[in-house]
């Protein structure tokens, strides 16, 4: 049933003394070696089937509830502790430029004394580069499984910051659009952006508490000298959360400003329309006057009565035009 | 007075060593056996009369205040501890597709060292399937009455998530409706949905604290090795609560967007109306001019004066039409 | 100065072993007996003068600050502890059907080891029925002054729930009114109801903390076995507070919906008016055309020219009518 | 440099055993006596120059940072503890009837074991009456410097309640104005009142924490038996804070109601205008019809054709009038 | 690589016993002396390159994570503790009068037992004056590196208060503009100001927690007798934070008031337009009447029929004018 040729197992290696010692396709064998000589093994799975996860879980002795959460997608970010193992769920975020949308994936991690199992769901946010960066730093790798946990968290949270930076740009664009003189319908864009912010918030906020626990040293597999690193990640997370809150507040204000612009524009339009109407209605009154059938209307007999009437209309209209221009109605 | 033939007692069974040992209609007898040989008995009541509840309460030695709460409907979710017994009230929720409404019921549970009494009020959310699922898992049943408590909580909270998923769909529909070009009156729908969210919140929020206490091990009848399971339920509950909050925020934003759409539409209508009026009023002015009674008006004598005037009107109207079309007023 | 014939002293009795032992008009004598043989005395005052309160205070040794608060109305609900005595201030609420208003009164209680003094200000919320209910329950009365405290709190908080239920009905009515097609001016009603909710909140919220303290056993005169009863009252209070919050949120949403309805209605009216105007203005243009003075206008000479023109006007108006009906403008 | 004849030193007296023992213009001498025989001295300064404050500070050994704060105005209310001395800053508030405005002053207090120095900035809120009230109560004065602290705090917080009561009246007036049928521009008044509420809040909120500390007995110079008095002040402060919050909420609702009234009024006006326009436009159509130049128009030849036309206009206008009246448009 | 001639090293001096002992361009040498004889060295860097920071870090033994944060700009204000060293990041703010904008810079500080390293990014907020002020106060300098930390924090937070004072002025201007009778488009200005407030809040809020820790004595290098000074800074920070919150609330209210003004103005305009239209439309009706072709219309034959008609029009228009003026429509 288990096919090593596919991409379910992305990578699997044994680490000892801060170095990558052995890579293998047979993760059972590597796991046994990790037990024996003090190194640790890191297995990375991508979109595995439930059966595959259960198989791994059995070998590593993972808690059924954690396995259940690792199999099902759409979990909440959290950190659980089962005896000597800790189980972490992370939301991954990335920004898709084509449609200005934030997409989400999920990573589940089992971190024991001598092993790390990472289960990644969805596209994007591959862990390969995190592994490479980690392998490049012997000191970090020397922290063991706790170092892997840090490397993955750092990677994921840095991507939150990238996404948030993109959203800052989007909010700037909306701001420009709201205060431009064009008639733009910004409410839909603001709504969509608020929705994305809510998405980001759902990834960021529940992670605060786990990170706090990682920095407070009540968690196994994290060596005490590594806590500053987790504090650093917690700090980046706090920055992401604050920026998201700030953007949300700005969007609300921008929305109110948009509503105000709509109102002001309606008022401007109304006055413009009224002024335009006056330019037609007043000459119509003049025409009506000279359309009256009184027997004694001297103008009617004038040789230049007709041009006079037309001129009168034009002059009155021009006068109104000037008046409305001056008062800002046109 | 007590009629075993009706549906008041839905089920009543004795469990020992993780297995269903005996089912009986005589719950007094089963209860005595539970006392004697270390198993436990689970009695499920549905819409019982106060007398029936009091009868059961007497046999199991339940606290009068808890019994009072179990008899009266419309209680707040809570967990109370009376000596060795814990008393839990849960709101059950289900979604009725016909009218897109969330309906609520109530479950009261008495969990002692060797018994569980469940009292269910209202339709929907039967506990039968929770019992079946529990009976299928010998390990869970082996946790005793605490296992039953978990099974019921898990069932109820999973139904919260189902309800919340339906509400997500409703919010998506409203979103589509708000941003469609149709003139839809979405405010009533948004109001109703906000009301349902408040309903769900009333079920979900007060349950947080009891679940926290169940995971913190200060509660009797819950064996320590079962706490991860209650943490799992607490986690699902947190997910439900977060989604409800998020939906509520989105609905508020959607409502604002709806208001903006109404304003924009009013502005569009006003400009359309004004443009339409211009198409009539300007030709009326022309007609007024040629209705003047000046003696010397050359056009009046032209053979084709009348067609010329009509053509003039048509041309002017067409010109206005083009102008308004171009500026987006029509 | 002290007149036993008036209604200042509503009731005064000595209780021992859960029974009402003696009633007397001479409360000094009863108080002495309470000291002597282990029972307790409960004196109920209604709208007493400051002098009367001070007289009682002297005999029972009440703290001057508490007495000051008991004399002055418009205090904040609170629980204070002075050595072995506790002092409680409660807001009482009741709903007046005639004008849909919530009215408030006040109860001050001094609860010592062998006495209870209740001072009630304002109409409504008499304590007589609470006393009767208490006297009917020997077990509750057996808790001594703590039992009286429970009985009064239970009574007052249950009345909060009654008031809140009435407000739920009011909110339902407003909801119906907002979404009806009638032109109702709901903003004043919503405002008044919000005001009443604020009133209720001022009674309910500050009581939370005192009740919490009563359930946490750090308060004298409350026997430990009575704490579940105070937890029950705290639970009812929490229900009242949650419902008030929920209603307040619904009213805000209802208000927004009302604003939206006003906007939508304005838009509907504007389009209706425009369509109506078109029915007049277009025939006016036709009349204007046939009022032109061109020499060669064949229609003017037709025998049926006049009926033709009128028919043309009617046909055009009818066409416009149909068009506007179809597009929903009329 | 120091001039005893001016009003910088408002009062200066020595107290012992709850009585005012000696008053003097030479505060240095009084201070020495306080040291010697167990009484305490209270010096009240009003708008002193920095030099004067520093002079006093040197004699009493006050901490430089506290002195700095006492000299500069516009400090935040706070309580600081420097060894055996406590330093308190209070905002004083009073209501100016002429312009319905809340004005603010500041009091800085240094309370040591045997002295009190009060520094008052700004007009209003003199402390003389607080001193008189305190001197009238031997028991309170017997608490020493802590008693002075209580007397000043009690005075200041009672003035908060007075100010808040005036603001309640202002909110009631605004409420009446918003819901009256007059066209009142209430937004400016609401804004100003919100601003005043923010002013009050800035005085009230930061004082909460100091008062809490004064009641929790971790502060020197406050004797334990005096804590109920500080609890009483804290309670009044809480009442002021709650009322301010409640008023702020009501004002927000009143503002929304005002916006709704403006919208409703606009709608009413629009319909009134439209109905008025119809009364003119329809007769104009009739006039237009009889202004047509058809050869065969029987009415034109009628003897009473002209009165008939005028009557027709009047009848149609009257009919429209009745119709609009009935439908509530006029 | 390291060039002492440029402005990277702003200042570098050795302090001992509260005095500036030696200034040098060779910071390595000074650092060695600080180690040897109990004084401390303070090196100030401005916009250093990463390499320069790393060089300093190596000599002083700074933690790599802190160095990383000091190199990268756009960090969050925070206080970290690494063994005996504390690391602080501060946002600096200043107000640019030309464009009414708040600009931000950043200061990173490493404070050890015998050294201080400050790294400043961006223009503005130079630390030179803080150093001068500190050097002028022997007592403060006597607190060692903790005194430097205080001097810098005090300086930075005082500048927050300056910026906040400028924003208070801006809010006052907006207020005046909103309530003036001019048609001002205030929404953009309010938006920009809200944005600046968010900027200030991002600098101020995260600093609260570090300052709290500095006053609670759990931090090395801060001598206990210096905690009142940090409490003073914390107090100023709290004042800045409260003012920012208060301004934000006022701006929201001002925005609502602006929206209300727009609505009221639209209503005023609409009524003005309608009144103006009536002045034209009613005379047009009169002209239409006398343009009718009835054979028997006595006025038509009057000698002064035409002037009569014109007078009638003028009288009716004047009457309407007076009526609209009185009712406030014109």
């Amino acid at each position: 049933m288990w096919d090593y040729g596919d991409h379910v197992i992305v990578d699997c290696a044994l680490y000892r003394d801060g170095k990558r010692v052995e890579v293998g396709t047979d993760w059972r064998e590597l796991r046994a070696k990790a037990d024996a000589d003090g190194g640790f093994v890191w297995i990375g799975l991508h979109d595995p089937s439930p059966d595959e996860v259960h198989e791994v879980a059995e070998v590593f002795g993972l808690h059924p509830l954690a396995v259940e959460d690792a199999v099902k997608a759409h979990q909440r970010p959290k950190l659980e502790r089962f005896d000597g193992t800790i189980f972490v769920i992370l939301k991954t975020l990335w920004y898709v430029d084509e449609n200005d949308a934030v997409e989400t994936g999920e990573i589940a991690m089992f971190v024991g004394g001598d092993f790390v199992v990472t289960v990644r769901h969805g596209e994007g946010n591959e862990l390969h580069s995190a592994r490479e960066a980690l392998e490049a730093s012997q000191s970090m790798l020397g922290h063991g499984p706790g170092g892997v946990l840090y490397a993955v968290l750092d990677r994921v949270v840095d991507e939150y910051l990238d996404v948030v930076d993109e959203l800052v740009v989007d909010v700037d664009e909306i701001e420009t659009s709201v205060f431009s003189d064009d008639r733009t319908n910004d409410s839909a864009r603001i709504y969509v952006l608020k929705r994305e912010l809510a998405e980001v918030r759902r990834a960021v906020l529940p992670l605060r508490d786990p990170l706090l626990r990682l920095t407070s040293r009540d968690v196994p597999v994290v060596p005490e000298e590594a806590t500053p690193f987790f504090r650093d990640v917690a700090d980046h997370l706090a920055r992401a959360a604050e920026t998201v809150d700030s953007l949300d507040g700005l969007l609300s204000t921008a929305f109110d400003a948009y509503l105000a612009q709509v109102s002001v524009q309606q008022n401007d339009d109304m006055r413009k329309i009224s002024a335009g109407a006056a330019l037609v209605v007043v000459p119509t009154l003049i025409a009506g006057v000279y359309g009256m059938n009184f027997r004694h209307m001297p103008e009617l007999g004038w040789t230049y009565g007709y041009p006079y009437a037309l001129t009168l209309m034009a002059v009155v209209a021009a006068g109104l035009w000037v008046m409305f221009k001056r008062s800002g109605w046109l």
Side-chain angles (χ1 to χ4, degrees), chain A:
Chain A
M1 172 198 86
W2 191 278
D3 175 13
Y4 292 107
D6 67 5
H7 296 296
V8 166
I9 295 193
V10 179
D11 199 351
C12 175
L14 180 72
Y15 299 87
R16 199 181 310 129
D17 302 331
K19 270 174 284 184
R20 182 173 183 130
V21 180
E22 197 179 336
V23 192
T25 52
D26 188 349
W27 53 270
R28 272 171 235 262
E29 194 185 324
L30 284 180
R31 197 268 176 278
K33 284 188 188 163
D35 258 350
D37 58 12
F40 71 93
V41 66
W42 176 8
I43 305 180
L45 306 177
H46 181 217
D47 280 336
S49 71
D51 284 347
E52 289 158 350
V53 177
H54 284 121
E55 202 180 330
V56 172
E58 204 178 337
V59 172
F60 287 94
L62 309 176
H63 194 281
L65 274 174
V67 172
E68 207 57 38
D69 285 346
V71 165
K72 283 193 284 185
H74 301 301
Q75 297 296 317
R76 238 183 116 233
K78 67 175 171 183
L79 178 149
E80 293 280 339
R81 180 181 168 170
F82 298 103
D83 303 315
T85 311
I86 62 178
F87 172 61
V88 179
I89 285 193
L90 299 170
K91 288 263 176 207
T92 56
L93 298 177
W94 64 98
Y95 191 86
V96 182
D97 271 325
E98 290 90 72
N99 51 0
D100 287 7
V102 175
E103 307 224 332
T104 62
E106 227 170 280
I107 293 173
M109 288 184 84
F110 300 86
V111 185
D114 54 5
F115 68 90
V116 178
V117 177
T118 49
V119 180
R120 190 156 61 77
H121 291 286
E123 289 309 308
N125 288 65
E126 43 73 57
L127 290 171
H128 187 62
S129 56
R131 192 189 281 253
E132 279 184 336
L134 183 68
E135 288 172 356
S137 158
Q138 188 167 344
S139 71
M140 187 55 69
L141 207 48
H143 288 140
V148 177
L149 180 58
Y150 163 73
V152 171
L153 278 169
D154 189 48
R155 181 70 208 280
V156 165
V157 172
D158 274 0
E159 272 158 1
Y160 292 174
L161 287 174
D162 292 349
V163 166
V164 166
D165 284 347
E166 297 282 353
L167 294 174
V168 168
V169 174
D170 286 1
V171 169
D172 282 350
E173 283 173 18
I174 278 175
E175 197 177 298
T176 311
S177 168
V178 163
F179 293 109
S180 74
D181 285 337
D182 299 350
R183 280 174 203 281
T184 48
N185 191 336
D186 300 310
S187 68
R189 276 191 73 190
I190 292 175
Y191 179 83
V192 168
L193 202 44
K194 280 223 153 201
R195 206 179 168 145
E196 316 251 290
L197 284 173
E199 190 86 51
V200 175
R201 196 181 277 125
R202 265 208 294 277
V204 169
L205 291 201
L207 202 56
R208 276 183 180 172
D209 190 52
L211 272 170
L212 198 72
R213 286 175 60 199
L214 283 169
T215 59
S216 67
R217 302 173 190 178
D218 78 330
V219 164
V221 310
V222 175
E224 192 178 319
E225 69 271 20
T227 50
F229 293 92
F230 288 100
R231 273 215 303 273
D232 199 60
V233 176
D235 197 62
H236 290 179
L237 193 77
R239 186 138 62 91
E242 278 171 14
T243 312
V244 165
D245 281 350
S246 180
L247 289 179
D248 199 62
L250 274 178
L251 274 184
S252 295
T253 311
F255 191 88
D256 287 348
Y258 169 67
L259 269 183
Q261 300 286 93
V262 169
S263 276
V264 168
Q265 216 156 44
Q266 174 140 4
N267 204 351
D268 286 357
D269 288 347
M270 190 180 75
R271 288 185 289 151
K272 210 172 281 174
I273 289 165
S274 307
L279 297 186
V280 177
V281 168
V282 173
T284 300
L285 171 58
I286 295 172
V289 165
Y290 292 116
M292 295 194 293
N293 298 320
F294 288 100
R295 208 158 296 161
H296 306 290
M297 286 179 72
E299 297 98 322
L300 298 184
W302 293 356
T303 309
Y304 295 106
Y306 178 44
Y308 147 77
L310 291 182
T311 308
L312 181 63
M313 288 178 196
V315 165
V316 166
L320 287 169
W321 171 278
V322 169
M323 191 185 87
F324 284 124
K325 265 292 177 201
R326 276 201 191 140
S327 62
W329 285 48
L330 259 176

